[in-house]
Amino acid sequence: MKVLVIGGDGYCGWATALYLSDHGYEVGILDNLVRRHWDQQLCVETLTPIAPIQQRLRKWHELTGKKIDLFIGDINDYDFLIRSLRQFEPEAIVHFGEQRSAPFSMIDREHAVMTQTNNVVGNLNLLFAMKEEFPDTHLVKLGTMGEYGTPNIDIEEGYIEINHNGRTDTLPYPKQPGSFYHLSKVHDSHNIHFACKIWGLRATDLNQGVVYGVHTDQTRRDEMLINRLDYDGVFGTALNRFCIQAAIGHPLTVYGKGGQTRGFLDIRDTVRCIEIAVNNPANSGEFRVFNQFTEMFSVGDLALMVEKAGKHVGLDVEINHLDNPRVELEEHYFNAQNTKLKDLGLEPHNLEESLLDSLINVAQHYKDRVDETQILPKVSWRRD
Ligand code: NAD
Ligand code: USQ
């Protein structure tokens, strides 16, 4: 099957492209490399040294004999997008190609506008391209668990049955996102749902939790294939950041009380979830939603787990509770469903001490690349 991975130079996209290529899919990567540009603008770098995409792909070909097509350009450029689709003729499109950092989207007006324009318009271009020439192609779109926010009731997978004044309907689950980035995902979901309804497109929205880890069986084959691992206050995410902080002896940065609970998953499960979605396409006209995470943790619990794993490898880990730069509940109910991907065959890698040990080891290996001035959060959600 031919699968186009949009955003295939990024953290989830690179791991997915290699995994699918390794498992016999014909893979193309489309990416405008803008993430590398944003890193430069913010003066941050991934902990792990990532090679240019062309060299990564050459090495993959050298090691496996498999070729991955490369389309460098922006999905906001409709001519480029449609030309690439005509050339590649994908049967499935996996769309990772968005600005994905909540703090980045909260820096100022420009970054909020840029995030929503990049994400919403890019996704809309894709929907129109599919309607015009690829109406049967399956769109697998990365959404986020953060679309739901933290309601005081159980979170369902996309839809909820509501009984109101004696009548019943199954409706989209209410959305209460916590940043202009997370809001962009809500806007995308609405646009995709509408496009499925009016044009009969087929789409799966994967509401993914926070991803952790770095290696997959494919990216570990050669240092030239290594994946990015962000640790800075803008693009770094909770557990990855904590492991890197532990490795360099920086106190762990728990924001506020630390009771914020989220869904998490190992990057080895991200790639498998994409394969499952691709292998089981939505029906024509169907907007299907899966919650893509394997376990729920509070950030405070994660910090304690990293402290314990640190002890195990001889590190003395300190936990700090910083003033929370975000506006979010720090103690709340959180219970989300995640059965649909498991029903289709996902066998989760649960978070184990061995994974934390190995992440801390990777971080220790590259610790000379860490810029400590980039660890504390600098972006505030508040007015002043
Ligand atoms: P990333 O920043 O590492 O990768 C995104 C890639 O998309 C980059 O290579 C970037 O250059 C490319 N891109 C961005 N805008 C583009 C455009 N207009 N045209 C072409 N390419 C473009 O991000 P990631 O962590 O791999 O996340 C991938 C997707 O998964 C995102 O949509 C994100 O919202 C979602 N997601 C990520 C996580 C996580 O923990 N990393 C969790 C849940 C959901
Ligand atoms: N947090 C800390 N300390 C840190 C970093 C984060 O306490 O050093 C807290 C945050 O305040 C928040 C939680 O950890 O409560 C998660 O923050 P995060 O930065 O790990 O994740 P988030 O901003 O939600 O975004 C990440 C990805 C995004 C994806 C989302 C999935 O960057 O692309 O959509 O995870 S989810 O959180 O399920 O919405």
Side-chain angles (χ1 to χ4, degrees):
M1 191 197 292
K2 290 178 94 168
V3 184
L4 184 66
V5 180
I6 299 178
D9 187 46
Y11 175 55
C12 300
W14 176 240
T16 299
L18 292 194
Y19 177 89
L20 293 176
S21 173
D22 207 23
H23 286 76
Y25 298 81
E26 222 177 298
V27 178
I29 284 179
L30 186 155
D31 201 301
N32 63 351
L33 313 184
V34 67
R35 179 55 213 284
R36 292 176 187 250
H37 172 69
W38 292 328
D39 282 1
Q40 282 178 347
Q41 277 189 334
L42 296 169
C43 200
V44 298
E45 265 190 298
T46 135
L47 174 83
T48 43
I50 54 171
I53 183 74
Q54 295 86 347
Q55 285 181 20
R56 289 173 139 184
L57 293 179
R58 223 175 300 133
K59 176 56 77 178
W60 180 245
H61 184 237
E62 205 180 292
L63 290 176
T64 64
K66 299 190 178 189
K67 203 172 156 294
I68 295 180
D69 290 338
L70 179 63
F71 302 89
I72 295 184
D74 190 336
I75 57 170
N76 284 275
D77 173 352
Y78 188 79
D79 288 343
F80 160 78
L81 174 63
I82 196 81
R83 260 187 288 117
S84 308
L85 293 179
R86 281 181 194 142
Q87 197 179 323
F88 189 70
E89 298 187 324
E91 293 159 87
I93 298 174
V94 184
H95 179 18
F96 291 106
E98 299 202 328
Q99 191 304 95
R100 69 109 175 118
S101 154
F104 185 96
S105 76
M106 301 300 290
I107 293 175
D108 55 16
R109 185 194 66 84
E110 281 80 6
H111 288 80
V113 170
M114 214 280 295
T115 298
Q116 293 209 353
T117 310
N118 184 63
N119 296 1
V120 177
V121 176
N123 184 63
L124 201 51
N125 274 342
L126 190 54
L127 293 173
F128 269 88
M130 290 176 66
K131 171 225 174 199
E132 292 300 331
E133 300 189 29
F134 300 90
D136 210 37
T137 296
H138 177 207
L139 173 62
V140 177
K141 165 68 167 57
L142 271 291
T144 176
M145 284 302 291
E147 290 185 37
Y148 302 116
T150 51
N152 198 30
I153 56 170
D154 292 349
I155 295 174
E156 305 299 324
E157 301 201 59
Y159 299 91
I160 182 168
E161 191 180 294
I162 293 185
N163 193 311
H164 181 63
N165 291 347
R167 300 182 66 81
T168 301
D169 202 351
T170 299
L171 298 169
Y173 195 94
K175 306 291 174 78
Q176 304 184 78
S179 74
F180 287 118
Y181 151 71
H182 287 98
L183 274 154
S184 75
K185 295 289 193 185
V186 173
H187 306 328
D188 286 346
S189 295
H190 286 142
N191 286 341
I192 303 170
H193 193 174
F194 183 66
C196 290
K197 194 153 54 182
I198 59 170
W199 298 327
L201 299 185
R202 52 179 89 232
T204 303
D205 204 2
L206 296 174
N207 283 339
Q208 187 170 235
V210 188
V211 184
Y212 59 81
V214 64
H215 292 313
T216 58
D217 286 346
Q218 293 74 35
T219 62
R220 66 171 355 126
R221 280 190 205 165
D222 190 286
E223 200 178 15
M224 183 81 85
L225 302 177
I226 201 162
N227 205 347
R228 65 161 52 247
L229 188 60
D230 302 309
Y231 69 87
D232 62 276
V234 172
F235 280 104
T237 50
L239 182 57
N240 287 347
R241 260 163 74 69
F242 292 167
C243 288
I244 295 161
Q245 291 163 357
I248 63 162
H250 190 290
L252 307 191
T253 56
V254 173
Y255 298 164
K257 295 197 181 96
Q260 304 94 304
T261 301
R262 300 287 183 268
F264 285 81
L265 74 163
D266 187 310
I267 190 152
R268 292 172 296 174
D269 288 333
T270 292
V271 302
R272 173 73 181 126
C273 288
I274 303 293
E275 181 184 34
I276 289 172
V278 163
N279 284 350
N280 298 277
N283 296 319
S284 169
E286 185 187 8
F287 175 66
R288 191 173 61 168
V289 184
F290 295 162
N291 291 346
Q292 181 170 315
F293 71 94
T294 58
E295 293 176 283
M296 293 174 268
F297 300 104
S298 73
V299 288
D301 284 346
L302 288 178
L304 291 173
M305 288 166 84
V306 172
E307 182 188 41
K308 187 160 161 246
K311 265 206 194 95
H312 200 233
V313 294
L315 295 169
D316 196 10
V317 179
E318 192 188 326
I319 299 177
N320 254 6
H321 286 261
L322 309 179
D323 284 346
N324 197 336
R326 306 187 183 198
V327 176
E328 61 186 358
L329 295 181
E330 293 174 7
E331 282 171 325
H332 57 88
Y333 180 77
F334 190 82
N335 185 34
Q337 293 298 317
N338 63 345
T339 53
K340 290 192 181 173
L341 282 158
K342 286 192 263 189
D343 288 347
L344 289 171
L346 175 67
E347 289 169 17
H349 292 87
N350 286 336
L351 180 56
E352 282 168 5
E353 195 154 311
S354 60
L355 186 276
L356 292 175
D357 284 2
S358 89
L359 251 186
I360 293 172
N361 281 333
V362 172
Q364 283 181 311
H365 184 73
Y366 292 109
K367 72 175 186 205
D368 291 344
R369 288 173 51 86
V370 173
D371 175 354
E372 289 212 25
T373 67
Q374 297 292 354
I375 290 183
L376 289 178
K378 296 174 193 155
V379 181
S380 167
W381 263 229
R382 294 180 177 79
R383 239 177 332 142
D384 46 343

